[in-house]
Amino acid sequence: MPKASEVKKGTAIDFNNRVLVVKDIVRSVPQGRAGGSLYRMRLYDVVTGAKVDETFKDSDMLTLADLTRREVMLSYVDGDEYVFMDNEDYTPYNLNKDAIAEEIQFVNEETQGVHVIVIDGAPVGLDLPSSVELVVEETDPSIKGASASARSKPAKLSTGLTISVPEHISTGDRIRINTVEHKFMGRAEK
């Protein structure tokens, strides 16, 4: 059983007889003599999809839910359903666009290292690798002689996500993006 301070995004916990997946964590340190941080967590019920906000003390013990992670690849999109195929046994996992709205911005058919989170046989979310490689679809023309540390410009990627990139990046470049911070990390290896 981890403490609230040890829980990370994407973790599934068993709380009030519900399985909840942690989508966001905000740490705060209240003023006053009673020390200790508070962790305000945005959670999603894996069964109903309902949003739940809870606040825990850093020392609160949380129970991890029984879940498995399966490595998958995006297979195809069917309306609002994204179908992922298990890399080992080819089991299809359907996830609704709303349940994975943030994560799907980083995923296309070539993305490696994506895991589907499965609880009681049902897919409930995606676990992304720390970085992904995507192609720049649209950005202002690159500026010759621009240094890597110069000003940045917006770039629209193949998944529709827009991030800031250095001026020397041009349309068609394959780049690495940090999936946690939504930041440019560099050009991808050829």
Side-chain angles (χ1 to χ4, degrees):
M1 285 180 42
K3 293 180 180 175
S5 60
E6 299 166 344
V7 171
K8 301 200 178 342
K9 276 188 194 181
T11 304
I13 61 171
D14 207 330
F15 185 71
N16 289 344
N17 296 321
R18 296 163 77 183
V19 177
L20 304 169
V21 175
V22 179
K23 285 288 186 178
D24 199 29
I25 303 171
V26 177
R27 179 178 175 254
S28 62
V29 183
Q31 297 297 317
R33 53 188 183 170
S37 300
L38 293 177
Y39 291 85
R40 183 167 177 74
M41 297 186 189
R42 162 111 348 133
L43 308 155
Y44 284 88
D45 187 310
V46 299
V47 177
T48 65
K51 192 168 35 173
V52 181
D53 288 326
E54 291 287 342
T55 302
F56 301 99
K57 293 186 202 134
D58 56 0
S59 59
D60 286 349
M61 300 302 276
L62 301 175
T63 306
L64 294 179
D66 185 22
L67 63 84
T68 55
R69 294 176 197 280
R70 302 291 301 173
E71 189 165 351
V72 294
M73 296 286 283
L74 176 59
S75 186
Y76 62 93
V77 181
D78 183 14
D80 283 348
E81 293 286 312
Y82 284 80
V83 181
F84 292 86
M85 196 69 67
D86 190 301
N87 288 358
E88 285 179 28
D89 62 13
Y90 307 108
T91 303
Y93 295 105
N94 291 34
L95 286 162
N96 187 285
K97 181 173 74 175
D98 296 337
I100 56 171
E102 186 175 323
E103 293 88 352
I104 203 63
Q105 301 176 89
F106 297 99
V107 178
N108 63 20
E109 290 85 356
E110 300 168 4
T111 308
Q112 301 285 321
V114 177
H115 290 80
V116 70
I117 300 167
V118 182
I119 298 175
D120 294 331
V124 297
L126 289 180
D127 190 20
L128 297 176
S130 59
S131 69
V132 295
E133 293 182 4
L134 293 171
V135 173
V136 176
E137 291 250 311
E138 189 180 310
T139 190
D140 294 336
S142 63
I143 297 172
K144 280 214 181 298
S147 71
S149 61
R151 296 183 306 270
S152 61
K153 61 184 179 180
K156 186 174 178 186
L157 306 176
S158 54
T159 59
L161 176 68
T162 300
I163 65 164
S164 287
V165 298
E167 289 182 327
H168 69 278
I169 297 296
S170 56
T171 301
D173 284 352
R174 189 172 186 81
I175 60 171
R176 282 193 341 273
I177 301 105
N178 179 312
T179 58
V180 177
E181 298 175 2
H182 299 219
K183 288 197 169 128
F184 171 82
M185 294 173 63
R187 275 200 173 107
E189 300 298 317
K190 295 272 188 236

